[in-house]
Amino acid sequence: MTPATTASTTAVRGGLRDFYEDPAVPVASGTPRSLRQARMLAAALGPATAGVKTVLDIGCGDGTAAATAAPLLAGHHLIGVDWSQDALRRAHARIPYAIRGELTEGGLPFRTASGDAVLFSEVVEHLVDPDSALDEIRRVLRPGGHLMLSTPNLAAWYNRALLLAGVQPVFSEVSLRAIHGRPGSKVVGHLRLYTARALREFVTASGFKVVRLAGAPFHGVPRPLRPLDRLACAVPSAASILLLHARRT
């Protein structure tokens, strides 16, 4: 069975929850995105010698992003959070602290205003109710706390060309069973996609002040096009991945 076939079969049987519990469904994105995001967070927090901060990696998946960030956040307290038991089992091999938690149905297992920063990497595009998710993240962050959010860009440079050609954009999905009408072969469960402008407006409306919006490359771009993809990062609105830094108001 291909990963897409396995994931689609699971989705048909049990819906979105079982879909994300399927080990064949990707739970990590590329290292270049993780490194760029980690550098942004490290610059925002400063060294631990100036004060140890609590960083919550919400939707940590298999812990790859947190493990990539850990050397840059030395001394700070990094906690991975996910509701997928399979993902948490894998995360425990990469990061010392990984616990089960949800953004809905009772909320995260943290006190109000207990976190200094939240990593929210490649999660928001999978959510049925992103508004409630941002409300819960805002609850657990202290005033002035940092939100580091990354998500695929609907208006990535190649998606603009694909739409002009009448082709479904990369990152978008019309089914949990198979890929239809776009490049790629893996179903990953994207429900919502953002442009740079939409992401700014959404985060601002949720009670955050946007500090910076940057771009990152996508590991799935064909190798001959990767230099162009890296160049596009200079214009975040056209980059493959959007990296947003905001602070809780």
Side-chain angles (χ1 to χ4, degrees):
M1 273 190 174
T2 65
T5 302
T6 305
S8 65
T9 302
T10 305
V12 172
R13 289 175 181 168
L16 279 173
R17 281 188 172 272
D18 285 346
F19 176 82
Y20 289 119
E21 286 284 5
D22 185 349
V25 175
V27 292
S29 58
T31 299
R33 190 276 303 159
S34 298
L35 273 174
R36 290 184 184 219
Q37 189 175 37
R39 288 170 183 146
M40 288 173 66
L41 178 56
L45 292 181
T49 52
V52 175
K53 304 295 195 300
T54 297
V55 180
L56 311 176
D57 183 3
I58 298 176
C60 67
D62 65 5
T64 299
T68 300
L72 299 176
L73 302 174
H76 293 302
H77 191 202
L78 183 58
I79 304 172
V81 185
D82 209 293
W83 60 257
S84 168
Q85 296 288 11
D86 178 74
L88 288 172
R89 279 192 291 271
R90 287 182 275 171
H92 278 298
R94 294 184 170 93
I95 53 179
Y97 304 104
I99 63 175
R100 195 173 192 279
E102 301 194 38
L103 286 162
T104 57
E105 298 183 17
L108 296 166
F110 302 107
R111 298 189 309 274
T112 297
S114 59
D116 296 291
V118 163
L119 275 172
F120 202 45
S121 307
E122 319 292 303
V123 177
V124 70
E125 65 272 15
H126 298 274
L127 300 179
V128 173
D129 186 0
D131 302 279
S132 294
L134 265 288
D135 288 345
E136 180 64 2
I137 287 173
R138 189 173 186 276
R139 181 189 70 79
V140 301
L141 275 175
R142 64 170 178 79
H146 302 276
L147 169 64
M148 296 289 175
L149 184 156
S150 66
T151 190
N153 183 9
L154 175 60
W157 60 275
Y158 40 80
N159 279 344
R160 301 181 190 207
L162 290 172
L163 275 172
L164 284 174
V167 177
Q168 187 81 10
V170 175
F171 308 127
S172 67
E173 295 180 334
V174 300
S175 170
L176 289 178
R177 299 180 182 182
I179 294 298
H180 299 292
R182 73 157 173 85
S185 60
K186 292 184 179 179
V187 178
V188 293
H190 288 175
L191 304 179
R192 301 185 183 274
L193 289 175
Y194 300 80
T195 63
R197 178 176 177 177
L199 187 63
R200 280 181 176 273
E201 291 183 4
F202 168 61
V203 170
T204 300
S206 299
F208 294 85
K209 181 179 180 180
V210 175
V211 177
R212 181 187 175 194
L213 185 69
F218 174 47
H219 65 282
V221 169
R223 189 174 297 276
L225 297 178
R226 289 180 186 175
L228 182 57
D229 194 42
R230 288 192 293 271
L231 284 174
C233 294
V235 183
S237 61
S240 285
I241 306 295
L242 299 171
L243 303 179
L244 181 137
H245 173 203
R247 301 195 74 167
R248 181 197 185 281
T249 56

